[in-house]
Structures are given as structure tokens and as C-alpha cells.
């Protein structure tokens, strides 16, 4: 398949994704809402980064803009060296298909397809066959060996999210964006899914960015960045749940 | 993608029923009327070839406008019949005196008053055995003089006549009465298709339809080994060129075919109108159904787009779904259409023209037309919703999400209202 954008193997120092002075405004006039206000952030390769913030802080918008799902108002967003604003819809679609993996909160899988078909869907959309060895590795990592022929309705919420994680990893994307991937799960299933996300970073060398408002979830990451009112306000390396919670509480008291 | 589309179709069975019904009905009327027209034409052809089975060449007066019947039919007399019989290659000669005669039923109402055709009056022309093979007697006897008439048995039954009754008839002059002495059968398709037939003795028929001692036409059969056109050429040589002409049965059959297909086309018109109406309504149903399906699947389509489906792939998956639905509906519709084709002759009976019976003729054209129209209309109607699906998916995706979330703990929070406001604003601007 000919590639129209050229992410010519970026240097090791180049982050997997980067936003520079990213601003996103919804609406005009009275309904004008600034969701992101000049955010500059980098997501390093083979790292697990959590984006935290209260509801409405712009963390989902940040993810959607950085993944090319939403056009930005101003500023720059790059994935693996490709400037998203310069891409046409088709190129953007191809970039999402080949360079980005997604895990959403609730609706992740097509109900009509089996777990395996859901996992390989991005590859099939690209007209490619999954690499058998890699498929085995990913399936083994997320522990879904016996459930590949099941439909989503026959899987538990945790299993569904694991299928989504497997799908996100299968195309060996530059970066995986996970939007509240544990939001609908009980704490045990949530911990499992977070474990797989972290394993995929540690063992499979993937890059994961996870949006969450749960300090426990954020504690699985290597690094946490904090958003409030559309601005990047803080970050934390090698976080613990308590440390994250402390920061959150600090913002709450400052904000009021 | 096709397998995905198939699974979606199966998952949406109930919702697709009205679409399937609409397309199915439209296709049924199309295939029904086409199959019906083909079958009717085939049956007419078959009946006609039977009419002309024992005729090779017909001699008629030249169709120049001549006022006087004596003048017009002057050439076709017994002397000409004898001349024709002597032409080499002529097998048999049958002088014919026939024309149009309107019968009144027993209650006085004219039969087939609305039709110009199929009101036949003929001469009884007994052969060597004293019988006329074209009009075999069913009951009674043949008419022997100007006061007697025989009727086709169907005509007698339809008019309510039984032998011994007085029948009222009219040609282009004043009405006259004759006594019914017998009934006959015939294979003439004009009569078996619902026409009437009155059989007179030769002298009466000549007087009514030609002129005394003259014939309206002369039918010739070729002797074995003589071709129709060859015979026509030989016959033409002995005819008074300005007053009579010879036509082959082939040419006559072709002429009749043209006439018949005009009639059959008019039978097609009503069902085709139904088809157009039901497909027109169907188009709206399809657009509605697919708009609904696409809206219900907006999250799914958004997901597809997010994980790398191009707009074209989304459009294609919706269209593939539509094509599958259209195909299923068309096949159903075609089968239903065979029922329509079978039922149509009964529905059209009121016109007075019975349609010749015959098997259903299913040619490739009705099959292809039905499938093309059924699938085509469905896919075309689904095209707009599919475009909308592919275009609107990314922004609407996020608007669809809050409803799927658990309720927020602080309902009055600014974030909640910001979220819904930004969504509605975008919904407006994206329109």
C-alpha cells in the first residue's frame, strides 16, 4: 500500500505524539467554549501516560484532537512525525488505521462480529492479513485464547475491553489512545485491563496514552499529566494512587 | 465487509420488513406485468399460428376506397375461385364471406358493444362431406337459408339463446332477425378470446359482407412442396392487378402480431403504474428505514471511522446492506409477481376480451428488470443516508456518548452543561 504521509522512522528522541500550543474552541459567539487552551504536551515512546483531570477539563478533547478524530482550532498535533492538520480526511483515516490504536470507554466492539473479527477489523479495513505470530502474542498477552469465536454480548465487560486492547495493539500502532477504558468496569476487571495496557508497554514496547479520572487507574501509568479548565497544570512521574489523589484534591481546593 | 453487512441485515430483520415489503410489491407489479405481457403475447402468437395453420395465401380485394360493394368485391366471384383452383401449386381453395356483425343478447342489449373487434359473421362453407371443418357443429344443424343462423356455442350461452330462439343482429344497416338453428365450435382466436360468432348460409353471408355472388376473400392452401411466397407470386399473376391482391399468411400473422402487441402493451400499463407508485412510496420508506438504521448505528459507524474505516468503506457497507435487502426483496417480489401474472387475466376480464390461455412465459428480461429495479431503487434510496452516515459520524460520535454514560454525580456541574452545549452547537453547525 503506498503511503501518502511519510513518518520516515523518526529519531529515537522524537516522541510518539506531540501537541504544541493546541487550542480547541467549540461553537461561536455566546455558545463559544474553549475546551483546550494552548496545551503543549509530549508522549514519549514505549511509555504509559495517563491524562487526568476533572470532568470538563478537556482531557477527552485532548485525546480526540491528538488522535485526529477532531480538528484543532489552532496549534499543532503530530503523530510519529506527521502533522495532522496537513492531512486530508483519507490520509487521516489511514493514519488512524495504521498508526493509532483506540480503546474507548463503553462502545468498543461491533456486536455483529466475533471477538477475533473485532480484533482484526482495522487490518481488514486496510485490506491486510494479521501477522499470525503477533496475533498469538497479543491474544496471549490479553488472555483471550478460548474466547475468540464469541460475540461481544457473550463476553464480560472486562473481556470486551481486553478485546478492544488487543484490537488496538494488533496493527502495531505508533500510539494507543485509551479513553476511560476502565470507566464501565468493576475494580477487578479494571485492574486486569490496566495490567494488560501496562504489559503491552513493558513487554511489547507500545506507547499508551490513557484518559482517566480515576487515581487508581492513573497509578498504573509511568507518568501522569493533569489538565484543568483546558490547560496542562501539572505532571507526576512514577505515580502512586495516593500521590495522584493528593494532587487532585489540591486542584479542587485551589479551583474553588 | 459483505459478511458484516449480511450480519447486520439479519440483526435488523424486523426493522427492514417495511422496506422489503415496499420493494417486494413494486417488483411484483413489474415482474407480474412483464411476465403477463410475455405470456399473453406468446399465447396470442400460438392462437394466431393456429388460425393461419391451414392458410398459405389470402386473396383480398385491393383496399382502395371504393364506394360500391359490387364494385369493391366485384373481382372475387366464383369464376375467380375456379381460376385460382387451377393455379399450379394451389392445394385447396376456400372462398370466404365474413365480416363484422353485432348481436343483441336475448334481453336486447348489444353484445361486445364496447369492442370493435371480435364480432365475427361468417358463411357456412360445407366441404365434400357436407360439413364445414372450420366450424364443426356442436348441436342442431347448419343454417340453410336466409332466415336461419348458427352461433358459436359460447356466444349462444353468453347471449342466453337456445336453438329455436330468434336472434337479433345488425351489420352496418338496420337490424334483422333470424332463427337460431344450431351451435358450432371454432378455434378462431378472435372468437375464443371472448368474441362472438354468427354463421350464415353462403348467400346471406355474401349479401351481408360482400355482394351477392361475391366473396370478401379467398383462402388458398399451398400444395406440398410449394412455398407461401412462391404461391403468392403465382396467384398474383392471375389476379386483376388493380382489383385484388394476394397476401401470404406470414405477412398477415405479422400484421396481427403488431396489432396484438399494441393491445397487450395497454394491459401492461396499469400494473406498471402500480409498480411506479409502490416504488415511489418505497423510496421514501427505504430512505427512512436506512436513515433510522444509520442513526441507530451512529456509534458503531463512529467506531468504524475511528479505527480506520474510510468514508467510502462506510458508504459501501451501508450500500452493501441495502443491496442485500434489495436483492432479497426483489427475489420475493418476482415470485409474488408470478402470482400477479396469473391473477391479471382475471382482473382484466371486465374489458370483454378474454385472454388466450397459455403457460406463464418467464423470459430473462423480466427477471433482469425485476432484480435491477429492486436492487437499484434500494441502493439509490440508501445512498443519501449512507453518505450522511459517513460524513456525520465523527462529530456526532461525541454527542451520542453522554447519554451512554452513567449519570454524573453532580448534575448541576458546569462541565455537564458545557458538554451538552458544545454538542448542540456543533450539531447545529454541522447541518
Amino acid at each position: 500500500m503506498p503511503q501518502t504521509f511519510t513518518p520516515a522512522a523518526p529519531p529515537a528522541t522524537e516522541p510518539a505524539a506531540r501537541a504544541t500550543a493546541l487550542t480547541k474552541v467549540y461553537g461561536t459567539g455566546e455558545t463559544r467554549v474553549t475546551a483546550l487552551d494552548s496545551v503543549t504536551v509530549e508522549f514519549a515512546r514505549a511509555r504509559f501516560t495517563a491524562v487526568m483531570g476533572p470532568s470538563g477539563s478537556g482531557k477527552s478533547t485532548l485525546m480526540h484532537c491528538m488522535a485526529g478524530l477532531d480538528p484543532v482550532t489552532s496549534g499543532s498535533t503530530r503523530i510519529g512525525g506527521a502533522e495532522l492538520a496537513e492531512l486530508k480526511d483519507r490520509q487521516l483515516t489511514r493514519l488512524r488505521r495504521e498508526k493509532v490504536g483506540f480503546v474507548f470507554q463503553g462502545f468498543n466492539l461491533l456486536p455483529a462480529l466475533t471477538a477475533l473479527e473485532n480484533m482484526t477489523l482495522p487490518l481488514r479495513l486496510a485490506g491486510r492479513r494479521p501477522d499470525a505470530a503477533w496475533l498469538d502474542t497479543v491474544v496471549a498477552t490479553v488472555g483471550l485464547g478460548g474466547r475468540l469465536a464469541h460475540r461481544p454480548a457473550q463476553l464480560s465487560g472486562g473481556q470486551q475491553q481486553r478485546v478492544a486492547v488487543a484490537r488496538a495493539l494488533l496493527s502495531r500502532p505508533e500510539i494507543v489512545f485509551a479513553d476511560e477504558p476502565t470507566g464501565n468496569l468493576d475494580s477487578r476487571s479494571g485492574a486486569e485491563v490496566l495490567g494488560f495496557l501496562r504489559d503491552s508497554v513493558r513487554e511489547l514496547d507500545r506507547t499508551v496514552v490513557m484518559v482517566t479520572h480515576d487515581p487508581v487507574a492513573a497509578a498504573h501509568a509511568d507518568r501522569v499529566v493533569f489538565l484543568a479548565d483546558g490547560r496542562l497544570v501539572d505532571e507526576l512521574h512514577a505515580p502512586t494512587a495516593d500521590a495522584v489523589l493528593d494532587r487532585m484534591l489540591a486542584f479542587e481546593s485551589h479551583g474553588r | 465487509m459483505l459478511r458484516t453487512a449480511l450480519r447486520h441485515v439479519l440483526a435488523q430483520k424486523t426493522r427492514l420488513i417495511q422496506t422489503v415489503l415496499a420493494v417486494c410489491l413494486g417488483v411484483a407489479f413489474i415482474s407480474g406485468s412483464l411476465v403477463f405481457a410475455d405470456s399473453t403475447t406468446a399465447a396470442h402468437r400460438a392462437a394466431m399460428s393456429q388460425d393461419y395453420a391451414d392458410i398459405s395465401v389470402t386473396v383480398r380485394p385491393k383496399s382502395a376506397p371504393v364506394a360500391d360493394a359490387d364494385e369493391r368485391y366485384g373481382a372475387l366471384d366464383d369464376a375467380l375461385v375456379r381460376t385460382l383452383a387451377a393455379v399450379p401449386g394451389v392445394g385447396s381453395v376456400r372462398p370466404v364471406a365474413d365480416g363484422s356483425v353485432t348481436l343483441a343478447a336475448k334481453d336486447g342489449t348489444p353484445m361486445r358493444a364496447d369492442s370493435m373487434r371480435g364480432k365475427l359473421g361468417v358463411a357456412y362453407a360445407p366441404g365434400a362431406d357436407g360439413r364445414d371443418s372450420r366450424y364443426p357443429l356442436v348441436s342442431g344443424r347448419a343454417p340453410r337459408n336466409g332466415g336461419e343462423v348458427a352461433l358459436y356455442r359460447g356466444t349462444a350461452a353468453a347471449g342466453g339463446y337456445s336453438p329455436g330462439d330468434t336472434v337479433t343482429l345488425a351489420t352496418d344497416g338496420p337490424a334483422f332477425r333470424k332463427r337460431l338453428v344450431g351451435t358450432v365450435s371454432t378455434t378462431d382466436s378472435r372468437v375464443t378470446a371472448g368474441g362472438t360468432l354468427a354463421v350464415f348460409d353462403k348467400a346471406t353471408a355474401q349479401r351481408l359482407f360482400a355482394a351477392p355472388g361475391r366473396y370478401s376473400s379467398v383462402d388458398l392452401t399451398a400444395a406440398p412442396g410449394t412455398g407461401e411466397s412462391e404461391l403468392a407470386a403465382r396467384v398474383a399473376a392471375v389476379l386483376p392487378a388493380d382489383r385484388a391482391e394476394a397476401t401470404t399468411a406470414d405477412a398477415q400473422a405479422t400484421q396481427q402480431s403488431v396489432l396484438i402487441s399494441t393491445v397487450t402493451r395497454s394491459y401492461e400499463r396499469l400494473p406498471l403504474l402500480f409498480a411506479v407508485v409502490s416504488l415511489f412510496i418505497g423510496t421514501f420508506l427505504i430512505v427512512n428505514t436506512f436513515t433510522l438504521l444509520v442513526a441507530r448505528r451512529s456509534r458503531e459507524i463512529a467506531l468504524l471511522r475511528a479505527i480506520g474505516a474510510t468514508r467510502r468503506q462506510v458508504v459501501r457497507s451501508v450500500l452493501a446492506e441495502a443491496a442485500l435487502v434489495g436483492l432479497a426483496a426483489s427475489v420475493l417480489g418476482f415470485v409474488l409477481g408470478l402470482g400477479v401474472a396469473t391473477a391479471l387475466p382475471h382482473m382484466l376480464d371486465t374489458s370483454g376480451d378474454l385472454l388466450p390461455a397459455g403457460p406463464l412465459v418467464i423470459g430473462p428480461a423480466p427477471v433482469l428488470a425485476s432484480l435491477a429495479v429492486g436492487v437499484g431503487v434500494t441502493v439509490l434510496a440508501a445512498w443519501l443516508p449512507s453518505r450522511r452516515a459517513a460524513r456525520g459520524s465523527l462529530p456526532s460520535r461525541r454527542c451520542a456518548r453522554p447519554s451512554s454514560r452513567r449519570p454524573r454525580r453532580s448534575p448541576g456541574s458546569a462541565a455537564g452543561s458545557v458538554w451538552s452545549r458544545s454538542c448542540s452547537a456543533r450539531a447545529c453547525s454541522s447541518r
Side-chain angles (χ1 to χ4, degrees):
Chain A
M1 176 169 287
Q3 298 212 327
T4 45
F5 56 91
T6 48
T13 50
E14 174 86 358
R18 183 201 332 216
T20 313
L22 170 56
T23 298
K24 176 70 183 178
V25 177
Y26 290 121
T28 52
E30 284 197 17
T31 59
R32 184 183 164 89
V33 175
T34 305
L36 291 175
D37 188 0
S38 193
V39 173
T40 298
V41 67
E42 288 186 356
F43 298 117
R45 274 170 196 288
R47 300 275 285 176
F48 185 4
T49 310
V51 179
M52 283 215 67
S55 292
S57 60
K59 54 190 192 300
S60 284
T61 306
L62 175 66
M63 189 196 109
H64 288 135
C65 288
M66 293 203 68
L69 291 176
D70 243 356
V72 302
T73 307
S74 68
S76 143
T77 48
R78 302 175 79 86
I79 287 182
E83 173 59 55
L84 301 194
E86 289 168 2
L87 300 181
K88 295 200 169 64
D89 182 75
R90 281 180 69 173
Q91 297 168 311
L92 211 52
T93 301
R94 187 176 293 168
L95 175 121
R96 281 200 301 271
R97 197 160 70 193
E98 291 169 1
K99 302 288 170 191
V100 183
F102 286 100
V103 182
F104 296 107
Q105 177 185 11
F107 189 84
N108 249 317
L109 307 176
L110 295 190
L113 302 183
T114 65
L116 181 64
E117 285 167 342
N118 264 294
M119 282 184 212
T120 55
L121 188 56
L123 291 172
R124 286 200 293 144
L125 287 170
R128 280 156 52 196
R129 301 207 148 272
D131 170 351
W134 178 243
L135 178 63
D136 288 345
T137 309
V138 169
V139 167
T141 308
V142 296
L144 280 165
R147 309 216 151 243
L148 292 180
H150 287 55
R151 298 280 171 83
Q154 299 166 304
L155 299 173
S156 71
Q159 287 166 337
Q160 289 184 28
Q161 290 304 77
R162 276 145 62 186
V163 172
V165 172
R167 179 189 62 205
L169 294 173
L170 208 53
S171 55
R172 297 181 203 260
E174 201 85 19
I175 188 165
V176 172
F177 287 106
D179 189 0
E180 308 256 13
T182 58
N184 283 342
L185 302 181
D186 59 63
S187 55
R188 220 195 72 206
S189 310
E192 262 177 27
V193 170
L194 290 166
F196 294 126
L197 281 174
R198 196 182 46 200
D199 289 350
S200 69
V201 173
R202 303 260 159 87
E203 291 163 22
L204 308 178
D205 248 12
R206 298 292 102 188
T207 307
V208 176
V209 175
M210 172 178 71
V211 168
T212 184
H213 61 268
D214 176 7
V216 178
H220 284 79
D222 300 318
R223 169 188 172 222
V224 183
V225 298
F226 295 90
L227 274 180
D229 292 330
R231 292 166 199 270
L232 198 65
V233 289
D234 201 356
E235 68 177 283
L236 200 61
H237 289 271
T240 63
D242 287 340
V244 173
L245 191 58
D246 285 347
R247 296 282 171 106
M248 291 291 285
L249 291 173
F251 299 136
E252 295 265 313
S253 54
H254 275 291
R256 296 288 140 114
Chain B
M1 247 16 234
L2 191 69
R3 195 161 34 148
T4 317
L6 184 64
R7 293 220 187 122
H8 278 138
V9 169
L10 293 178
Q12 311 280 1
K13 273 185 296 253
T14 45
R15 244 169 254 128
L16 289 170
I17 279 178
Q18 55 172 351
T19 296
V20 169
L21 263 183
V23 175
C24 186
L25 276 181
V27 169
F29 281 121
I30 289 180
S31 68
S33 53
L34 294 182
V35 167
F36 165 72
D38 281 2
S39 307
T40 311
T41 307
H44 273 303
R45 291 250 160 78
M48 240 159 39
S49 64
Q50 205 177 1
D51 291 349
Y52 290 105
D54 58 349
I55 301 174
S56 308
V57 172
T58 299
V59 175
R60 284 207 175 74
K62 232 180 192 153
S63 49
V66 184
D68 194 287
D70 284 324
E71 185 78 5
R72 177 164 160 77
Y73 295 101
L76 275 64
D77 56 9
D78 286 318
L80 181 72
V81 170
R82 280 192 295 276
T83 312
L84 290 172
V87 171
V90 170
S92 66
V93 181
R94 182 190 167 99
V96 175
D98 65 7
S100 185
V101 58
T102 304
L103 277 82
K106 203 167 186 184
D107 61 8
T109 54
M111 299 173 75
R112 289 180 66 83
D114 53 344
S115 177
M116 295 294 290
R117 298 171 58 245
K119 298 187 281 191
L120 206 58
V122 299
Y124 193 76
D129 58 351
R131 294 167 193 204
D132 188 335
S133 60
R134 274 196 194 178
Y135 307 108
L137 279 168
V138 175
S139 66
R141 56 175 177 78
R144 284 178 193 148
N145 58 53
E148 295 176 350
V149 69
L151 295 179
Y152 172 55
R153 59 177 165 184
T155 309
Y161 290 115
S162 42
D165 289 345
T166 303
V167 181
T168 308
L169 311 102
T171 50
D172 47 2
F176 49 90
R177 289 156 181 278
K178 294 195 189 298
R179 199 163 66 84
L180 181 63
V181 294
T183 57
V184 299
S185 67
T186 182
T187 56
D188 191 315
S189 64
R190 289 170 294 180
V191 178
T192 54
T196 62
L197 171 69
V199 184
F200 304 96
D201 70 297
K202 188 174 115 181
T204 308
Q206 284 181 321
R207 194 161 41 74
L208 285 174
F209 305 123
R214 304 286 193 261
Y215 299 102
S216 57
S217 63
V218 181
D219 289 341
L220 305 174
T221 313
T226 309
E228 277 187 10
S229 40
E230 189 189 347
L231 184 65
R234 281 191 211 157
V235 166
V238 304
L239 290 176
D242 54 334
R243 303 182 65 190
E245 61 188 350
T247 326
T248 62
D250 257 2
Q252 295 178 73
T254 308
Q255 259 176 6
Q256 286 282 322
S257 296
V258 172
L259 188 70
I260 281 168
S261 62
T262 328
V263 174
T264 354
R265 294 291 152 216
S266 74
Y267 294 149
E268 258 178 51
R269 235 170 267 153
L270 187 67
L272 280 182
L273 186 72
F274 284 149
V276 168
V277 169
S278 60
L279 285 175
F280 184 70
I281 297 168
T283 307
F284 289 99
L285 283 177
I286 296 162
V287 171
N288 270 343
T289 309
F290 274 86
T291 306
L292 189 83
L293 287 183
V294 161
R296 294 185 77 101
R297 271 171 50 203
S298 63
R299 287 198 306 167
E300 214 174 295
I301 291 168
L303 177 67
L304 273 171
R305 289 282 282 132
I307 64 172
T310 59
R311 280 180 189 169
R312 197 189 290 175
Q313 280 172 321
V314 170
V315 168
R316 266 198 307 219
S317 80
V318 174
L319 291 188
E321 225 174 296
L324 282 173
V325 171
L327 187 68
S330 304
V331 170
L332 268 177
F334 190 82
V335 174
L336 203 64
L338 297 184
V340 171
T342 316
L344 265 178
H346 305 290
M347 291 156 65
L348 293 169
D349 252 8
T350 46
S351 71
D353 284 304
L354 283 180
L355 298 164
L360 283 185
V361 177
I362 304 170
V367 177
L368 289 180
S370 302
L371 294 187
V373 169
V375 175
V377 164
T378 319
V379 169
L380 266 183
W383 187 68
L384 262 182
S386 79
R387 295 259 314 177
R388 222 176 293 145
R391 195 153 12 100
S393 61
L394 286 181
S396 72
R397 188 180 64 81
R398 299 186 53 206
C399 297
R401 269 178 68 233
S403 62
S404 68
R405 283 191 172 179
R406 285 175 292 180
R408 288 167 197 283
R409 255 160 248 140
S410 50
S413 80
S417 56
V418 162
W419 184 269
S420 57
R421 249 192 298 153
S422 66
C423 272
S424 55
R426 265 174 294 150
C428 289
S429 63
S430 68
R431 237 163 246 163

